[in-house]
Amino acid sequence: MSGNPPVALVTGASRGAGRGIAVALGSHGCTVYVTGRSETSGDSSVPGTIHETAAAVTAAGGTGIAVRVDHADDSQVTALFERISADQGRLDILVNNACAIHDQLSAPGHFWEKPLAIGDMIDVGLRSGFVAGWYAAPSMVAQRRGLIVFTSAPGSVHYVFGPAYGAHKAGVDKMAHDMSIDLREANVAAVSIWMGSLATERLLAMIDADPARYGHLAESLETPEFTGHVIWALYSDPELMALSGKTLIGAEIGAHYGIVDRGGKVPPSVRATHGIAPRPFYPNVIR
């Protein structure tokens, strides 16, 4: 890669989708800041740390930089963006992936029968994405190029795990659309990407624990890295602005760019398998 490598920030990258996205961007030569709260084994009920992810980014061909950040704390987010500005002088890609997923989110029962803390994903998940976008926008606008991505899922348009999960997914889809309106004149894009069922530590454990309930997902799993390659293709596309503001199905955009997953697999689109598609937004703008 000639010149300075693109600088990316992937929030919530200790494990799962964030880790996969960060490593994929690293494989394309990016400098990737990875955030999360897990620094040592045992910090979470699920394996993975920001330092392990940063090392994997570097091993993939990029430069991984781990920064411990609690995205519920705005002062820590402020310090993060100040550090990126001081270190790099720019930010090219922001991936809003951090989400406070409670272990009981997928437990049986109605929402009021589960811990109230399940609602934290509306704070670290939805609000945190707004905060990160608020800090990222000035730099991207000044350089007149950038991409803000929200990781999302079809639960934005149908019931999954209860109202907190659905509000988070629907919220980030709408947030990407509305951010794109303000960013368009500066040639900065914002999109939301529906990921498929991911072969993450958390989901694989759920399948093992309850194959009758989740076993059907095994055949359609995407690797966490797949979305990272999709994001890189979007960022590299000179026609990116035509997609800004849209909620994209990752499998469909991957197919458009000719991206295949591990083993040459082509992930299925939820539109084809379940007849589910993103909700369109109307073009009206009121300021």
Side-chain angles (χ1 to χ4, degrees), residues 170-273:
V172 298
D173 288 357
K174 183 63 161 57
M175 195 172 290
H177 172 268
D178 287 4
M179 282 188 178
S180 77
I181 301 297
D182 286 347
L183 293 168
R184 182 169 295 278
E185 63 187 23
N187 194 47
V188 177
V191 299
S192 187
I193 298 179
W194 280 8
M195 301 182 292
S197 298
L198 299 182
T200 63
E201 302 88 347
R202 189 181 297 273
L203 182 54
L204 292 175
M206 289 167 58
I207 293 173
D208 288 342
D210 195 347
R213 186 179 178 193
Y214 299 114
H216 68 283
L217 297 174
E219 293 301 315
S220 60
L221 293 179
E222 296 175 7
T223 66
E225 292 80 13
F226 179 77
T227 301
H229 295 302
V230 168
I231 290 169
W232 177 252
L234 285 167
Y235 177 74
S236 304
D237 189 345
E239 302 300 321
L240 169 61
M241 293 305 296
L243 296 174
S244 187
K246 297 184 181 299
T247 299
L248 308 171
I249 298 176
E252 294 181 354
I253 296 300
H256 170 75
Y257 290 119
I259 299 169
V260 294
D261 209 351
R262 190 176 300 160
K265 181 179 178 180
V266 177
S269 166
V270 70
R271 191 194 308 267
T273 59

Side-chain angles (χ1 to χ4, degrees), residues 19-37:
R19 174 186 168 92
I21 291 168
V23 172
L25 291 174
S27 75
H28 294 288
C30 294
T31 295
V32 186
Y33 285 77
V34 299
T35 69
R37 295 181 298 169

